[in-house]
Amino acid sequence: MEILFWAGPALLLCASLLLLAPGSNRNAPIIILLMTLVTTGFGVLLGLWQAGIGAIWAALCLAVLGLCKSRGWQLAPVARYCLVLGTLSCAALAGYVNWSAPIRSLPHPDGSFQVGVVDFVIEDESRPGLQGAPHSSPRKLLVRAYYPADSDVTANVEPYMTAQEAEAVASGETALGEPGVLNKHLQHIPTHTYRRVSAASGRFPVVIRSNGFSSHVASSTILHTHLASHGYVVFSLTHPGDMSAVVYPDGSVHPIAKETLASMSKRHHQKKRVGEQLPPPIEEHFFDTLWRDTEQFNWVRLAPEGMHRSHATWMADIGFLADQLFANQLPADAMKLLPDLALQDLAFAGTSFGGTASVAACHRDSRCRAAINIDGANFDPELVNATVRMPALSLQQDFSRIPQFAEARMHGIRNPRDTVYEKNQDAGLTGLVERVEIKGMRHQSFSDSTWFARGATARGITATGALSPERTVALTTQLVTAFLDEQIKRDGGAFAKAVEALPEAEQYSLEALREWALARPD
């Protein structure tokens, strides 16, 4: 696949050199361009959208040369040089696109275990007809489990997603108004997981993980693989109807729901309003403005009705999977493969919308010992100016890079999530909540998207921030693993050591928020 990936730029370069040599065989450039068209066209059919650049230019060149040959025309020197220049430019552009959206293996996890993976489905008959499912259909949840595997693995590595998954995810992204075709090549990305292999011996702590709104089951494979290599069993839970697409093992597909598309459209419209700069506060403390205009900084009041409905559904999904684990009611074929689960050491974690649902669900479920919210806004009114019952990590993007929050930072609030998970008057003092902002990170940096984009692709299409893919992966995986090691494996001081070792990770003071809260008459 790597050869096919780079064949287009290489053949275009050869064609330009042959076109430049006037004494060469007149048919040679045509033959090379035909080879270019065939290989790049085949690549496009296989989901390599990057090959489309070479295919289009080769087709145009063949049309021009074919017309000249059929009419017996000779290319004028100026026309020949223009064709050469265009072909060279196209070869350079195709090469840059291949570099900026590469096909490369996911980073190798640095834990001591190989990683197995198995998919299974659980059904909640008490909640039928949710999120676009037929009225009588039970809630059908796809779960992908990543687990520590036996060291003697001989199976082939798993691709990032199957061809059917790539097609379904691309369709879902297109429905959301995104360039879905840019996901199709992910079916050719090798991971470091092995499907349905024997588990390692021992008992391992459990993490129930939820990805972001409109994401897919594989979108945090790097983090999940890393955690499994360090001795965690990670259950990546889907939330059908709110994800770009869910492809079940039997081949059936649950597409993104119409209600979700409507909610996303409304949320996009309202986020535009939030993007406007707040006027400076007049004759009042900045935090009074913040508290009065909560919708400017907190999605609790701003979120469309559909987002609140989804939040409740996601919490119930997380709880249902926990119920099935504690009742030992997973499908038999999955249970045969999974290692022994140390369910007394259970954490809920998620990214973006999955992060806020995970903390909210853990707060209400005494079986959950710790929770992680990776750059998720808050959709739970009960967690505003309220202290969670368990340790929680709030891992956040660099809000200094977002202009509309510059005013807030001038007055001591770092980002819109400072007023959740602890009472305002005790913010930063409870010992329960770790708040870390990572300099240079953007929202998409916390997903696998950061690994699939470099250069202009990273800056423009995926908006993954200023840090390199390698650095963003290291920051996310190390901080999440260290927090879980401290809270779940009881490795005291692990998180503080990780933060100290990562200069981009910043824990900051909430003194300004506390002072304001204590000064309020109510």
Side-chain angles (χ1 to χ4, degrees):
M1 191 56 63
E2 193 74 15
I3 294 175
L4 184 62
F5 190 61
W6 288 102
L11 288 170
L12 285 173
L13 182 60
C14 292
S16 65
L17 294 176
L18 289 172
L19 286 168
L20 192 61
S24 63
N25 187 333
R26 291 179 59 188
N27 291 325
I30 296 177
I31 293 172
I32 296 297
L33 287 168
L34 278 171
M35 292 173 60
T36 305
L37 182 60
V38 170
T39 54
T40 54
F42 186 58
V44 171
L45 290 176
L46 291 178
L48 300 177
W49 58 269
Q50 301 93 325
I53 297 171
I56 292 171
W57 184 255
L60 288 172
C61 290
L62 284 170
V64 172
L65 294 175
L67 180 63
C68 291
K69 188 176 180 63
S70 65
R71 298 293 179 88
W73 296 343
Q74 290 284 343
L75 276 177
V78 173
R80 179 182 293 274
Y81 290 135
C82 287
L83 201 59
V84 170
L85 182 60
T87 305
L88 282 172
S89 299
C90 188
L93 177 61
Y96 180 77
V97 169
N98 284 3
W99 173 84
S100 64
I103 291 182
R104 58 172 178 164
S105 175
L106 297 188
H108 202 288
D110 60 8
S112 58
F113 293 99
Q114 299 278 17
V115 180
V117 62
V118 59
D119 291 354
F120 59 89
V121 175
I122 55 177
E123 296 186 3
D124 186 355
E125 295 183 355
S126 68
R127 298 184 296 144
L130 290 178
Q131 309 303 93
H135 181 69
S136 59
S137 177
R139 182 71 169 156
K140 188 176 179 182
L141 305 175
L142 171 70
V143 183
R144 179 164 294 172
Y146 301 78
Y147 56 91
D150 194 311
S151 58
D152 297 326
V153 173
T154 58
N156 294 325
V157 296
E158 278 292 292
Y160 188 74
M161 58 175 61
T162 66
Q164 185 186 13
E165 287 172 333
E167 187 66 38
V169 168
S171 297
E173 292 292 329
T174 301
L176 287 165
E178 303 292 337
V181 67
L182 301 185
N183 289 305
K184 287 191 175 182
H185 72 294
L186 300 182
Q187 62 189 285
H188 304 295
I189 301 289
T191 67
H192 294 283
T193 63
Y194 303 88
R195 183 160 294 275
R196 304 182 69 84
V197 294
S198 299
S201 59
R203 286 173 60 83
F204 300 96
V206 175
V207 181
I208 295 179
R209 269 273 312 174
S210 290
N211 296 321
F213 209 82
S214 75
S215 65
H216 51 84
V217 67
S219 61
S220 293
T221 297
I222 295 173
L223 175 59
H224 298 165
T225 304
H226 180 88
L227 289 174
S229 79
H230 281 261
Y232 292 90
V233 180
V234 181
F235 292 95
S236 178
L237 177 62
T238 63
H239 304 278
D242 288 334
M243 308 189 81
S244 56
V246 175
V247 180
Y248 297 105
D250 63 4
S252 60
V253 179
H254 190 135
I256 192 166
K258 293 180 180 179
E259 301 93 320
T260 300
L261 291 173
S263 292
M264 293 292 285
S265 176
K266 185 181 293 186
R267 185 175 182 224
H268 175 74
H269 173 72
Q270 290 174 317
K271 284 177 76 174
K272 278 186 168 181
R273 290 165 43 208
V274 177
E276 300 171 0
Q277 183 73 30
L278 280 176
I282 300 174
E283 297 181 356
E284 65 177 354
H285 195 288
F286 180 80
F287 286 100
D288 291 322
T289 305
L290 168 65
W291 199 249
R292 189 190 68 236
D293 298 330
T294 305
E295 66 176 8
Q296 295 287 344
F297 287 86
N298 194 305
W299 293 118
V300 167
R301 286 171 52 194
L302 182 64
E305 179 185 350
M307 300 293 283
H308 284 301
R309 182 171 58 247
S310 293
H311 186 257
T313 299
W314 285 41
M315 286 196 297
D317 292 342
I318 295 168
F320 180 69
L321 175 55
D323 292 342
Q324 300 301 102
L325 290 171
F326 276 88
N328 200 28
Q329 290 184 346
L330 299 186
D333 61 336
M335 289 300 298
K336 290 178 182 177
L337 293 170
L338 293 173
D340 290 338
L341 305 178
L343 291 174
Q344 73 277 11
D345 297 323
L346 173 66
F348 295 168
T351 302
S352 191
F353 195 75
T356 185
S358 294
V359 174
C362 188
H363 178 67
R364 293 165 170 81
D365 192 332
S366 60
R367 299 171 297 187
C368 175
R369 288 189 51 203
I372 299 175
N373 180 354
I374 301 178
D375 207 42
N378 181 56
F379 290 84
D380 189 345
E382 293 186 23
L383 296 184
V384 178
N385 190 26
T387 301
V388 292
R389 64 158 193 87
M390 73 290 160
L393 168 63
S394 180
L395 193 59
Q396 303 154 4
Q397 65 174 299
D398 185 353
F399 274 83
S400 71
R401 301 173 63 85
I402 303 177
Q404 61 265 29
F405 294 115
E407 172 73 12
R409 297 175 80 90
M410 288 172 57
H411 291 270
I413 188 167
R414 295 296 294 261
N415 68 59
R417 296 149 197 177
D418 290 349
T419 60
V420 299
Y421 303 158
E422 294 173 295
K423 283 188 173 295
N424 293 336
Q425 64 186 32
D426 300 323
L429 301 178
T430 64
L432 286 172
V433 183
E434 301 282 4
R435 301 177 193 270
V436 177
E437 185 175 276
I438 303 180
K439 299 173 185 175
M441 291 279 269
R442 293 290 299 277
H443 188 66
Q444 290 294 338
S445 304
F446 294 104
S447 72
D448 292 346
S449 297
T450 189
W451 190 254
F452 303 136
R454 294 184 289 208
T457 305
R459 291 190 299 272
I461 297 174
T462 57
T464 50
L467 302 176
S468 70
E470 292 75 13
R471 191 58 181 167
T472 59
V473 166
L475 286 161
T476 303
T477 55
Q478 290 179 35
L479 288 169
V480 169
T481 304
F483 178 80
L484 290 172
D485 285 349
E486 180 166 327
Q487 301 300 334
I488 302 300
K489 292 185 177 179
R490 303 168 182 83
D491 182 2
F495 187 72
K497 292 177 184 176
V499 172
E500 184 178 358
L502 300 169
E504 299 91 341
E506 181 182 1
Q507 291 180 296
Y508 53 88
S509 171
L510 296 178
E511 182 179 358
L513 177 59
R514 292 195 301 270
E515 290 178 350
W516 166 81
L518 290 170
R520 283 174 60 85
D522 54 355

